[in-house]
């Protein structure tokens, strides 16, 4: 009987570039048994030694960034330069936790009446299962792995099925740095096997970045098992352009925020909400600049827009655009599948978008910008918060104090002024409402799966 495989297809040309065998049921059990042993060793390892290994991971990411970029570029179509940037933020996150592991894990003394000694300590609990997406194959993995390894939890990686080469390469990075199989383990399995893996006693929690539907399924299982979970789900992030904004600058920020990674980002600026006096000029300038974006080979440095990661996702996006048009939206540029092999979609600008339109209410995960007109600032805030999601949001304006006040009123996990939503190792990443719960990165992303334990010694 032939083994099931994960197949990697280059979305730029539809060519199969690799196949990787999936684990059988008995092999999954063996991996979990190995994780039990690996966790027991890792939890006993001094924090300083775990930090040393994390520094080695960061060193390897920086050393091998060209190899990482080539694999990711060919598997999911990301521009080569964008993958280099992804390696840089990934290395920074790993170093952040390596640098701060000892202080984060240090016992916190408390002054309590009647106690000779009272302190709060953090203990590792087992293995964390990371269910990761394809759009940032390295960054998403280190975001959950680095803090957990620093804290003494083992990591199990269930990566997206279309990036098995990336998963294999990332796993090798951790192994070469000293986090061997059992402490960092890739599970090439199907999504249907996630629930059974979660039921294993060694799994102490699960973190997922992906669709709302996948998040609901994982959260349901985690709830039944009384195991903690962290979810980073979809987003229809607003970018508000206030009436005092510099139009050229606003368009520049909007393009960076919307079309980075070919628009395939949960935290992309998907709804461009422009206050009425600037709508006409903003739209004219936006369309002009989008039409100048160069669609082409993601390995070519001059390319602005690469292919989408998969043809089925490209086709889903086109269906959303067509439904948006049927509901009153106008295509100012793009709005079509490009006629060549691969998962190509033309950079698109939609106008006349309002609540009730798919381009306003649904997440369009690709190179499509929706321009929404607001009567004034209050209306812009109302439109921005009119969403079941709440991941990130951006406000653009020359009066920075005023823009900040507007940003603070957004119902999101991350507010940015005059910059698209951007990951920083030192800042927490996550959302509210349908965008999920829990945080990654920064000190707030440390300890989501650690036991916070009280130690009290009577006087």
């Amino acid at each position: 009987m032939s083994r099931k495989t994960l197949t990697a297809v280059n979305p730029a040309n539809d060519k199969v570039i690799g196949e990787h065998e999936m684990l059988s049921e008995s092999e999954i059990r063996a991996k979990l048994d190995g994780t039990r042993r690996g966790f027991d060793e890792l939890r006993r390892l001094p924090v300083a030694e775990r930090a040393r290994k994390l520094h080695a991971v960061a060193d390897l990411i920086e050393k091998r960034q060209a190899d990482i970029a080539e694999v990711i570029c060919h598997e999911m179509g990301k521009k080569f330069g964008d993958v280099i940037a992804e390696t840089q933020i990934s290395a920074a996150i790993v170093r952040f936790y390596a640098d701060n592991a000892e202080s984060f894990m240090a016992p916190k003394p408390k002054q309590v009446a009647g106690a000779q000694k009272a302190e709060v300590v953090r203990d590792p609990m087992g293995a964390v299962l990371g269910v990761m997406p394809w759009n940032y194959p390295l960054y998403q993995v280190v975001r959950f792995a680095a803090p957990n390894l620093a804290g003494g939890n083992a990591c199990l990686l269930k990566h997206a099925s279309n990036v098995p080469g990336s998963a294999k390469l990332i796993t090798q990075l951790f192994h070469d740095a000293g986090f061997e199989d059992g402490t960092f383990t890739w599970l090439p399995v199907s999504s249907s096997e996630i629930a059974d893996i979660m039921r294993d006693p060694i799994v102490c929690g699960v973190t997922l970045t992906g669709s709302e539907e996948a998040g609901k399924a994982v959260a349901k299982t985690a709830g039944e098992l009384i195991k903690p979970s962290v979810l980073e789900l979809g987003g229809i992030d607003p970018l508000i352009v206030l009436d005092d904004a510099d139009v050229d600058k606003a368009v520049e920020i909007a393009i960076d925020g919307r079309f980075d990674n070919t628009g395939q980002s949960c935290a992309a600026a998907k709804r461009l909400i422009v206050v009425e006096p600037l709508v006409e000029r903003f739209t004219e300038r936006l369309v002009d600049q989008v039409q100048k974006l160069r669609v082409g080979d993601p390995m070519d440095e001059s390319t602005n827009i690469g292919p989408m990661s998969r043809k089925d996702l490209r086709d889903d996006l086109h269906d959303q655009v067509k439904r948006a048009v049927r509901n009153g939206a106008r295509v100012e540029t793009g709005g079509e599948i490009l006629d060549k092999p691969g998962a190509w979609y033309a950079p698109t600008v939609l106008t006349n978008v309002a609540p009730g339109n798919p381009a306003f209410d649904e997440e369009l995960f690709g190179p499509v910008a929706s321009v929404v007109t607001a009567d004034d600032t209050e209306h812009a805030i109302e439109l921005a918060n009119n969403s079941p999601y709440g991941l990130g949001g951006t406000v653009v304006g020359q009066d920075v104090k005023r823009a900040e006040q507007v940003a603070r009123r957004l119902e999101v996990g991350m507010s940015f002024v005059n910059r698209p939503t951007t990951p920083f190792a030192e800042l927490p990443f996550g959302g509210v409402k349908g965008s999920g719960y829990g945080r990654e990165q920064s000190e707030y992303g440390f300890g989501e799966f650690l036991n916070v334990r009280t130690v009290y010694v009577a006087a």
Side-chain angles (χ1 to χ4, degrees):
M1 185 175 178
S2 61
R3 295 288 294 269
K4 293 181 179 180
T5 61
L6 299 173
T7 302
V9 177
N10 188 333
N13 54 27
D14 288 339
K15 292 182 179 179
V16 174
I17 55 177
E19 293 189 348
H20 300 261
E21 287 189 347
M22 299 174 70
L23 298 178
S24 65
E25 186 175 343
S26 63
E27 288 170 331
I28 294 173
R29 294 301 123 196
K31 291 285 189 182
L32 293 172
D33 287 341
T35 298
R36 268 178 271 280
R37 295 187 294 272
F39 167 62
D40 193 52
E41 294 174 5
L42 184 65
R43 70 191 301 187
R44 299 173 189 276
L45 202 64
V47 179
E49 179 60 15
R50 299 200 294 259
R52 185 195 65 77
K53 291 185 178 187
L54 285 173
H55 275 299
V57 172
D59 290 342
L60 289 171
I61 290 173
E62 292 170 345
K63 181 179 179 180
R64 300 177 187 175
Q65 63 177 4
D67 294 335
I68 296 169
E70 186 170 356
V71 170
I72 292 177
C73 178
H74 287 146
E75 276 198 323
M76 54 80 55
K78 181 175 298 197
K79 294 186 299 173
F80 188 87
D82 286 352
V83 188
I84 296 299
E86 183 177 341
T87 65
Q88 292 168 347
I89 180 59
S90 298
I93 289 170
V94 176
R95 289 202 193 282
F96 174 83
Y97 287 111
D99 290 339
N100 291 283
E102 290 190 275
S103 64
F104 288 166
M105 288 296 288
K108 304 298 189 290
K110 300 293 182 179
Q111 297 298 319
V112 181
Q116 174 185 326
K117 179 182 180 180
E119 62 183 18
V120 176
V121 300
R122 282 171 159 166
D123 301 320
M125 295 196 298
V128 177
L129 174 62
V131 183
M132 297 293 104
W134 45 262
N135 57 339
Y136 292 92
L138 175 63
Y139 162 67
Q140 296 284 173
V141 173
V142 302
R143 212 166 71 178
F144 99 88
N148 279 294
L149 292 171
N153 284 329
C155 291
L156 295 165
L157 170 63
K158 192 286 174 195
H159 219 321
S161 61
N162 61 322
V163 290
S166 299
K168 182 178 180 181
L169 178 58
I170 292 165
T171 301
Q172 193 62 53
L173 289 171
F174 280 90
H175 288 183
D176 289 349
F179 292 109
E180 298 177 354
D181 216 36
T183 55
F184 185 96
T185 305
W186 173 38
L187 301 177
V189 298
S190 68
S191 297
S192 62
E193 292 167 298
I194 291 173
D196 281 342
I197 293 170
M198 289 174 63
R199 292 187 180 96
D200 192 282
I202 189 58
V203 177
C204 66
V206 59
T207 176
L208 175 143
T209 297
S211 69
E212 186 176 2
E213 292 71 24
K216 288 178 179 178
V218 163
K220 180 180 179 181
T221 302
E224 292 171 350
L225 297 170
I226 318 179
K227 293 184 178 182
S229 58
V230 168
L231 303 179
E232 194 262 280
L233 309 177
I236 317 176
D237 288 10
L239 184 149
I240 295 177
V241 180
L242 298 175
D243 54 15
D244 70 334
D246 179 291
V247 170
D248 288 345
K249 184 65 175 177
V251 168
E252 179 185 334
I253 293 171
I255 289 178
D256 287 346
R258 185 63 193 103
F259 293 98
D260 180 59
N261 201 29
T262 312
Q264 300 168 117
S265 171
C266 296
K270 299 185 177 77
R271 294 175 298 151
L272 310 181
I273 301 171
V274 187
V275 174
E276 178 22 69
L278 298 185
V279 171
E280 186 174 345
R281 281 195 293 142
F282 177 88
T283 303
E284 182 179 311
R285 178 66 173 166
L286 177 68
V287 171
D288 177 67
Q289 292 302 300
V290 169
Q291 289 174 339
K292 292 177 181 178
L293 294 175
R294 185 176 184 274
V295 179
D297 182 358
M299 293 290 288
D300 188 333
E301 290 185 2
S302 66
T303 292
N304 302 119
I305 301 289
M308 290 182 62
S309 68
R310 300 199 317 253
K311 292 176 76 172
D312 62 316
L313 299 176
R314 186 273 315 272
D315 293 344
D316 289 344
L317 177 69
H318 188 50
D319 177 68
Q320 287 176 300
V321 170
K322 289 190 292 185
R323 287 191 290 109
V325 171
R326 287 199 296 270
N327 281 273
R330 290 193 300 269
V331 176
E332 302 293 343
T333 187
E336 60 184 359
I337 294 172
L338 300 182
D339 187 18
K340 59 178 179 176
W344 300 93
Y345 199 75
T348 300
V349 175
L350 300 176
T351 58
N352 201 39
V353 173
N357 190 291
F360 186 97
D361 297 336
E362 300 175 13
E363 181 175 31
L364 274 61
F365 211 69
V368 178
S370 301
V371 179
V372 180
T373 301
D375 297 335
D376 52 30
T377 300
E378 288 300 315
H379 187 214
I381 296 169
E382 178 187 333
L383 289 167
N385 291 334
N386 182 4
S387 170
Y389 298 100
L391 190 53
T394 296
V395 179
V396 181
Q398 295 190 74
D399 184 338
V400 176
K401 182 176 289 188
R402 176 188 177 215
E404 181 184 349
Q405 291 172 345
V406 173
R408 287 178 179 273
R409 294 176 62 188
L410 299 181
E411 297 170 358
V412 296
M414 301 169 286
S415 296
F416 283 74
V417 174
N418 292 332
R419 179 173 188 148
T421 301
T422 307
F424 291 93
E426 303 86 356
L427 296 177
F429 193 103
V432 296
K433 299 195 286 190
S435 292
Y437 51 77
R439 292 295 179 268
E440 295 178 302
Q441 299 172 190
S442 80
E443 67 270 28
Y444 296 97
F446 187 87
E448 289 277 9
F449 300 100
L450 295 177
N451 176 29
V452 178
R453 181 160 57 97
T454 294
V455 178
Y456 180 100
V457 180

